[in-house]
Amino acid sequence: MTALNDPLAAASPIGTDQTLRRRSLFAACGAHAVHDGLTDLIYVLLPIWQGQFGLSLAQVGLLRGAYSGTIAGLQLLASRAARRWGRERLLVGGTALAGLAYLLVGQAGGLGVLLVALMLGGLGASAQHPLASSLVTDSHEAGGGVKQALSQYNFAGDIGKTLIPGLVGLLLTVISWRASATLIGLLGISAAVLLWWLIPSQAVAALHAGKNPKAAAGEGSVTGLRALLATGTLDSAVRMGFLTFLPFLLQGKGAGSAGIGLALMLLFIGGAFGKLLCGYLGARIGMMKTVWLTETTTAVLIVLAVFLPQFALMALLPLLGLALNGTSSVLYGAVPELAGAGKREQAFALFYTGTIGAGALAPVLFGRLGDATGIPAAVMTLAAMLLLTVPLAWVVERAMDR
């Protein structure tokens, strides 16, 4: 990175470990916010594209799947490519590519160009989760606080999901969707330039990590990592399955469109703070106890959601969101300890591939279950599935204690 060439590093403010940690965390949080915002922006634009280009629902689903499917499928490849070309180059280049994809979206004249643009955007976004997560881990390991830093990183993603789609929603009242997409594309490219300046070079990061003897070598645990992946996959599948059924649950209790929108907002607000708070809780009472607390609480609240009247359910949703989303920060924090030195980017890529893939499949699989058994029975099944994470968390904890 030109701003952080080695001859200047020792004399500049980045020469302090604290500054290195802050810049790394800020860069990772910024990348997460931008990429998650660009990903969820598609939900705002899909209805517009359907009307503009006369798309069927199957074609709408194809567009959404093109972005998320490319992200899920290429994360392992991105982690391998980072070892050859460097984490900074891939993270910056991926962010720039995601921005360029939205510039192309703004020029699209039909389904074909949109599909290509969204696949390019997914290609760029596939680098973010594994590389930004490992950037946070590597920069904070020597001084401690990895789990807390990862919880802040996850919180930033939810902020991006809220701000960028909300910003475009406001822009669409005054300018066209093409102009809005172009502006967001420029935002992505600007974020890439900022990351290029902000991310510490690997040489500087390695120099400062080597100065601190607290840095752990970590041999990792294959068994523990598999159990963690299974836990994260189940957690993600249940979360996305419940989000699929919640509007229909509320509709059955008499909620209209405005009520459903308010309910989702309450759930997401609770979820954002859950990602932040549970990371700190996990660092204090341990991963296993936190997962047991959040997952059993989530299971109980999901069951209550079936039987409570509309007003009581609405009041419960922020707490449900906190527990539903909070587990993920605790699980992310366990990845570095189980991966072992030199394998973190690959471990994060594998973990995110599993969780994002489960989140993509869950609405389809549980939707079929809901068709066959009814929504209340399907939701109760989700709660029962979530309890499978309790013994898996015990396996993870044992692997971390070795």
Side-chain angles (χ1 to χ4, degrees), residues 1 3-10 12-17 20 88 199-211:
M1 314 297 290
L4 296 171
N5 286 334
D6 290 344
L8 300 177
S12 67
I14 196 65
T16 66
D17 291 335
L20 179 71
E88 297 90 352
I199 300 174
S201 69
Q202 288 185 333
V204 173
L207 174 65
H208 287 275
K211 290 179 180 178

Side-chain angles (χ1 to χ4, degrees), residues 87-293:
R87 181 168 57 199
E88 297 90 352
R89 290 178 181 176
L90 257 69
L91 191 52
V92 170
T95 305
L97 184 58
L100 287 171
Y102 270 94
L103 291 181
L104 183 58
V105 163
Q107 304 301 314
L111 176 64
V113 177
L114 280 177
L115 190 61
V116 171
L118 292 179
M119 290 181 71
L120 285 175
L123 174 62
S126 65
Q128 187 273 131
H129 280 121
L131 303 189
S133 298
S134 60
L135 173 64
V136 173
T137 301
D138 291 348
S139 62
H140 283 72
E141 182 186 43
V146 173
K147 294 177 181 178
Q148 295 93 325
L150 284 172
S151 70
Q152 295 174 42
Y153 162 75
N154 286 313
F155 177 72
D158 278 22
I159 295 299
K161 290 177 182 180
T162 303
L163 291 182
I164 292 181
L167 172 62
V168 172
L170 292 174
L171 286 174
L172 289 172
T173 63
V174 292
I175 61 176
S176 70
W177 70 267
R178 293 184 184 277
S180 298
T182 300
L183 287 175
I184 293 301
L186 293 174
L187 172 66
I189 294 173
S190 300
V193 173
L194 180 61
L195 289 175
W196 175 79
W197 171 78
L198 194 59
I199 300 174
S201 69
Q202 288 185 333
V204 173
L207 174 65
H208 287 275
K211 290 179 180 178
N212 197 318
K214 291 182 181 179
E219 296 181 359
S221 168
V222 175
T223 300
L225 193 59
R226 287 174 178 170
L228 183 70
L229 177 60
T231 306
T233 299
L234 282 171
D235 179 73
S236 179
V238 170
R239 181 167 60 253
M240 298 309 295
F242 180 74
L243 286 172
T244 301
F245 288 132
L246 179 60
F248 299 100
L249 274 177
L250 289 163
Q251 193 175 53
K253 297 175 188 293
S257 298
I260 292 173
L262 175 61
L264 290 172
M265 184 181 72
L266 292 172
L267 188 76
F268 291 148
I269 289 173
F273 283 97
K275 287 186 175 182
L276 183 63
L277 295 176
C278 289
Y280 286 87
L281 183 63
R284 281 165 173 73
I285 70 173
M287 178 265 185
M288 182 175 67
K289 290 180 181 178
T290 306
V291 171
W292 286 6
L293 176 63

Side-chain angles (χ1 to χ4, degrees), residues 56-80:
S56 67
L57 288 177
Q59 290 171 324
V60 169
L62 177 64
L63 290 175
R64 182 65 187 94
Y67 202 98
S68 58
T70 305
I71 292 175
L74 295 180
Q75 288 186 100
L76 281 170
L77 182 61
S79 71
R80 292 178 185 141

